[in-house]
Amino acid sequence: MELRSPRLWGTVCVLVSAAAFGSMAIFAKLAYAAGLDAASLLFLRFTLAGLCLLPVVLIGRLPWPRGRALVALLVMGGVCYTGNSQTFFMALNYAPAGTVALLLYLYPVLVMLLSAWLFGEQLTARKWLAAALTFSGLVITLGLELAGQPLGIALGVASALIYSSYILLGGRYATGSHPISSACVVFLAASVTNGLIVLAKGDGLHWPHNSAGWLALLAIALICTVLAIVGFLVGLRWVGATRASMMSTFEPVVTVLLAAVWLGESVSMSQLLGGALILAGVLVLSRPQAEVEVSDIHD
């Protein structure tokens, strides 16, 4: 497959996005240690990311999304991203982290099934095989820790459903818009809703206490947000919602590897095996498909 292949280019963009997202847990730990709380971190993350891209859009005179694409992007940022983050963090109060993480990573299968149900996307043997490989790899990498209160399980599933909605909206309505201006809309919408949550909490905005905290915050805004979401939106245009969601399961592999390098955490053989299965699923999806198979993008 040539480097100029749209499928390969889309795959590279989604994997770069997954790597950027996967590094967020490392930077978030540093940010929390510097005095930031979850609500403040999310607000500052999206505000800084939006302010970073806004001059690029204005100076470059990039076209703003319009019509249904604009509405979809506002919902993606203001509702889906905020709802996903809030339900995920709430679920951690009622279920172990391993359970919540596994429930969140149900979203690739949910995207595949919802795409078939809502948009008539073809469920091929290749997609089922990739789904089986990636989810098996996740179970092995994260650990099969299915425990917790019913409310925690429900919130974890809700987080996966909300993130699935984010991907489906982007794949269906936003792929025709410029990815940078689209990402800017997502960031600013998420900034507004997370800012309202900070106000509702009533204890004010928390700021980093030291330079390490500020550097971690900037890394989250630039790497884990701007690079991650722009890369995902670009890749989404070329590989479609189902493939992009499955390729995104590369995130926890990156998190495990970075935790080993930067935080000195050990990497087990089961995590290496899980990572290999996830990569196998990505390779299955990135191979050229027969012309008779309907592309996700046009379903």
Side-chain angles (χ1 to χ4, degrees), residues 73-90:
L73 289 163
L74 288 172
V75 173
M76 287 166 64
V79 178
C80 295
Y81 241 117
T82 302
N84 166 255
S85 301
Q86 294 300 321
T87 51
F88 182 83
F89 282 113
M90 289 171 63

Side-chain angles (χ1 to χ4, degrees), residues 185-206:
V185 171
V186 170
F187 299 156
L188 295 177
S191 171
V192 170
T193 51
N194 282 286
L196 292 174
I197 291 173
V198 171
L199 289 175
K201 285 186 61 183
D203 59 350
L205 183 64
H206 296 194

